[in-house]
Amino acid sequence: VGGAGRCRASTAVAAAGGTLDDLAARVDNSLLRELRPERDPPPTPTTQSRAVRTGHFVRVVPEALPDPGFVAASPSMCKELGLDPSEAETERFVAAFSGAAKEESGVDFDAWAMGYAVSVQGHNSTNSPFGPFGYGDGRAMSIAEVVHEGQRWELQLKGAGRTPFSRQFDGRAVLRSSVRELLASEAMHALGVPTSRALCLVASDTERISRAWYPPPEAERKSQRRRPHP
């Protein structure tokens, strides 16, 4: 699920509504202003795995889920973001949080990826079964920082496709693991354990993927989870 992020106070004024448009109006991407982007990125797709040698982040483009459908949402997390929980079930919301382009969702999120968990105490994670940069599968990308009532939240898509930090995998998540992470993170929060949160879960109604380490390797629904960090 991931650890808790930073709590960052903000003087921005939160909107009083509860719609997707209200949420988009409160986007304030301070990380993109304060950190350095990758310098002179190569002319390759952002879905191609490669070494990133400069900067703090890489701008990426989500690979939208085909035929996305609503699965679940956390009413508690919706309220933390100033959202009406019923908004999560609307077509525009599902489109926006399945990685769809602005033309479909009406919201223009600015996605970026960072090299989370590719080292341990500054050293390559050589004990990983996936190789020297194995921890962190490169399928998480941030899409916005949202401010509500003085609290800043970093919103991430998990399972929105490949990034330069991917391990040659498909950048997707199966529904069963996404459900498990949603339930676990919200349960940990309810118990007072610092953790990242889960806003909502969407899944493709038409595409399936298989995972060899879940025997038998049957095809399962692709899914994406919205992961807010304070």
Side-chain angles (χ1 to χ4, degrees):
V1 175
R6 304 168 308 281
C7 289
R8 305 177 66 190
S10 173
T11 57
V13 178
T19 67
L20 177 62
D21 290 327
D22 295 324
L23 180 76
R26 290 183 275 113
V27 169
D28 178 44
N29 294 332
S30 66
L31 292 176
L32 298 186
R33 293 194 306 270
E34 297 170 7
L35 299 181
R36 296 191 302 273
E38 181 185 21
R39 187 173 62 252
D40 300 323
T44 56
T46 63
T47 56
Q48 181 175 316
S49 178
R50 60 178 174 82
V52 178
R53 304 185 185 281
T54 63
H56 298 108
F57 64 88
V58 177
R59 293 186 183 276
V60 294
V61 178
E63 295 181 275
L65 277 180
D67 303 308
F70 173 81
V71 176
S74 166
S76 172
M77 190 63 242
C78 285
K79 292 178 182 178
E80 292 272 12
L81 293 172
L83 279 169
D84 186 323
S86 65
E87 182 75 4
E89 300 185 44
T90 64
E91 289 187 9
R92 283 188 63 216
F93 191 95
V94 171
F97 287 95
S98 64
K102 179 183 178 181
E103 291 73 23
E104 185 175 348
S105 67
V107 179
D108 190 15
F109 287 131
D110 192 1
W112 70 94
M114 306 176 81
Y116 294 115
V118 296
S119 67
V120 177
Q121 296 181 343
H123 301 285
N124 295 353
S125 49
T126 53
N127 62 332
S128 165
F130 300 103
F133 297 100
Y135 289 119
D137 53 15
R139 61 180 171 170
M141 60 185 72
S142 301
I143 58 170
E145 290 179 74
V146 174
V147 178
H148 181 61
E149 295 183 346
Q151 176 69 59
R152 182 179 296 272
W153 294 89
E154 179 184 353
L155 303 185
Q156 287 188 339
L157 305 181
K158 185 174 182 182
R162 297 160 293 173
T163 74
F165 303 104
S166 297
R167 296 186 305 239
Q168 307 292 341
F169 283 3
D170 57 20
R172 295 302 193 188
V174 295
L175 184 57
R176 77 165 86 180
S177 63
S178 298
V179 170
R180 181 176 64 243
E181 292 186 19
L182 184 149
L183 295 175
S185 63
E186 291 305 280
M188 289 170 65
H189 171 72
L191 292 170
V193 180
T195 180
S196 60
R197 301 287 303 278
L199 172 61
C200 65
L201 178 61
V202 299
S204 173
D205 290 332
T206 56
E207 286 205 2
R208 302 290 190 271
I209 51 176
S210 61
R211 291 289 185 256
W213 49 87
Y214 286 142
E218 298 177 352
E220 302 181 68
R221 292 175 68 187
K222 292 181 180 179
S223 67
Q224 283 186 36
R225 186 169 65 93
R226 267 17 76 215
R227 182 167 61 179
H229 295 264

